[in-house]
Amino acid sequence: MPTKATSAITRNKNVAEDLSTAKTLECSSRTAFNDQQNVNESSSAGNRDVQSKSTVSNLSNLNLDKNSSRRKIIVTRDTGGHAQYKPEKWMLPDQEQETLVGHVDSGKSTLSGRLLHQLGRISQKEMHKYEKESKEKGKGSFAYAWAMDESAEERERGITMTVAVAYFDTKNYHIVLLDSPGHKDFVPNMISGATQADAAILVIDSSVGSFEAGMEGGGQTREHAQLIRSFGVDQLIVAVNKMDTVGYSKERFDSIKVQLGLFLRTCGFKESSILWIPLSVIENQNLVKATTDARLSCW
């Protein structure tokens, strides 16, 4: 027979064990609840991130759909500052892509617009619209450039700021034309276009003082030539533009060819891979058809 003292000790021991078990269960319950709450919060945050990304993706798709159906000429441009340009779906790997580069105001966008108009990629109705709008803004000479420079800021400032894209077909090739900025503030955008190119058109302003400005320190003619060669472009057309301003002078053309040719060879271009073309975009001389001006055709 156990004594009363022994019975009391046993009961106290049982009570202590029950209290310990109860506290252990309570702690386990709290831990499980906190873990579940953390999982729920993580899952909720993940769902919000997925929904946010899905919304951004849907908005991007809507913008692309709107841009791709906006007009006959397919023109896309970067809208995110220095974000790298991404080609459209129709730009297949086997297509020839050419980029127009050169010093600011050399006539790259005007050359692109006039070329597309001559090839039928811009209708007469669209061209009439650009001419009317540019004259209303006091920038009548920019009518062809407006075919490529579509943003209000580009048209107001009269310079290309982002890469515009268009295309045309020849007998053997589908040509993708990339009109790159010439202003030094937009070199990153120029690079995003030039990195896509298989060949380049380096547009030169032949007027007195302008060619020299492009070749001096800070001039974009030199920098653009170096950049496109560093990207692996070895086929180059040098479009010596605005020849009308120098009376289609052969001496001026030869002088530019000697000075620039020497520099291009130092960049790594081979003479056999460079094609030199004197032209006047504004007077439509030697662009698509052979020149009709005797001052140029004689030589």
Side-chain angles (χ1 to χ4, degrees):
M1 279 295 288
T3 63
K4 290 184 178 180
T6 302
S7 298
I9 291 171
T10 301
R11 284 195 300 272
N12 290 338
K13 182 178 181 181
N14 291 339
V15 170
E17 289 177 351
D18 291 340
L19 289 173
S20 176
T21 301
K23 289 181 178 180
T24 300
L25 290 173
E26 182 181 2
C27 290
S28 298
S29 298
R30 288 179 178 176
T31 300
F33 176 80
N34 290 335
D35 290 344
Q36 183 63 39
Q37 189 175 21
N38 290 335
V39 169
N40 290 339
E41 290 176 353
S42 298
S43 177
S44 176
N47 289 336
R48 286 196 299 270
D49 290 342
V50 171
Q51 291 173 354
S52 177
K53 291 178 180 178
S54 177
T55 301
V56 172
S57 177
N58 290 336
L59 288 174
S60 299
N61 290 336
L62 287 174
N63 288 335
L64 287 173
D65 291 339
K66 179 181 178 182
N67 288 337
S68 62
S69 61
R70 182 157 53 95
R71 49 183 295 193
K72 182 179 179 181
I73 299 176
I74 299 178
V75 177
T76 61
R77 54 185 67 248
D78 296 329
T79 56
H82 301 328
Q84 187 173 5
Y85 161 76
K86 295 182 180 180
E88 294 287 293
K89 294 180 179 179
W90 44 265
M91 295 183 186
L92 302 177
D94 58 344
Q95 297 176 130
E96 282 289 320
Q97 299 189 46
E98 293 187 351
T99 184
L100 281 81
V101 295
H103 193 64
V104 65
D105 292 332
S106 59
K108 297 180 296 299
S109 296
T110 300
L111 171 58
S112 300
R114 185 122 203 185
L115 180 64
L116 293 169
H117 180 237
Q118 292 292 311
L119 294 173
R121 294 299 303 164
I122 299 178
S123 68
Q124 189 60 43
K125 181 178 180 181
E126 288 176 307
M127 198 63 245
H128 178 71
K129 174 187 174 185
Y130 296 139
E131 290 174 352
K132 181 180 178 181
E133 291 176 348
S134 61
K135 286 179 180 178
E136 289 175 353
K137 296 289 185 178
K139 298 180 180 293
S141 61
F142 287 81
Y144 287 102
W146 280 25
M148 305 300 288
D149 299 337
E150 292 194 314
S151 73
E153 187 174 3
E154 285 179 313
R155 292 181 173 184
E156 181 66 28
R157 296 179 62 178
I159 59 174
T160 300
M161 299 169 63
T162 56
V163 178
V165 184
Y167 70 91
F168 61 90
D169 295 306
T170 67
K171 183 177 180 181
N172 298 317
Y173 296 98
H174 180 75
I175 306 296
V176 179
L177 195 64
L178 309 172
D179 180 24
S180 301
H183 196 282
K184 62 182 180 180
D185 289 348
F186 306 106
V187 170
N189 289 346
M190 170 267 171
I191 290 174
S192 70
T195 52
Q196 307 288 330
D198 301 303
I201 301 174
L202 180 61
V203 185
I204 302 298
D205 183 346
S206 64
S207 56
V208 178
S210 296
F211 167 70
E212 288 75 12
M215 291 295 292
E216 292 173 358
Q220 295 304 292
T221 298
R222 296 171 64 93
E223 183 173 0
H224 286 194
Q226 291 172 324
L227 285 171
I228 58 178
R229 186 66 190 96
S230 69
F231 298 145
V233 175
D234 55 8
Q235 301 178 69
L236 183 67
I237 295 174
V238 181
V240 185
N241 189 25
K242 302 186 181 181
M243 287 295 295
D244 56 291
T245 64
V246 293
Y248 296 101
S249 168
K250 184 178 186 300
E251 289 73 20
R252 177 63 172 171
F253 176 78
D254 289 340
S255 175
I256 291 173
K257 186 175 180 180
V258 170
Q259 295 180 61
L260 182 57
L262 179 62
F263 175 74
L264 292 176
R265 285 192 291 274
T266 66
C267 293
F269 288 100
K270 296 180 180 180
E271 186 63 38
S272 59
S273 299
I274 304 175
L275 181 63
W276 299 82
I277 302 178
L279 53 85
S280 171
V281 175
I282 202 69
E283 293 190 354
N284 193 27
Q285 293 296 323
N286 215 29
L287 192 56
V288 175
K289 298 179 180 179
T291 180
T292 58
D293 194 301
R295 294 174 295 173
L296 183 57
S297 61
C298 68
W299 55 274

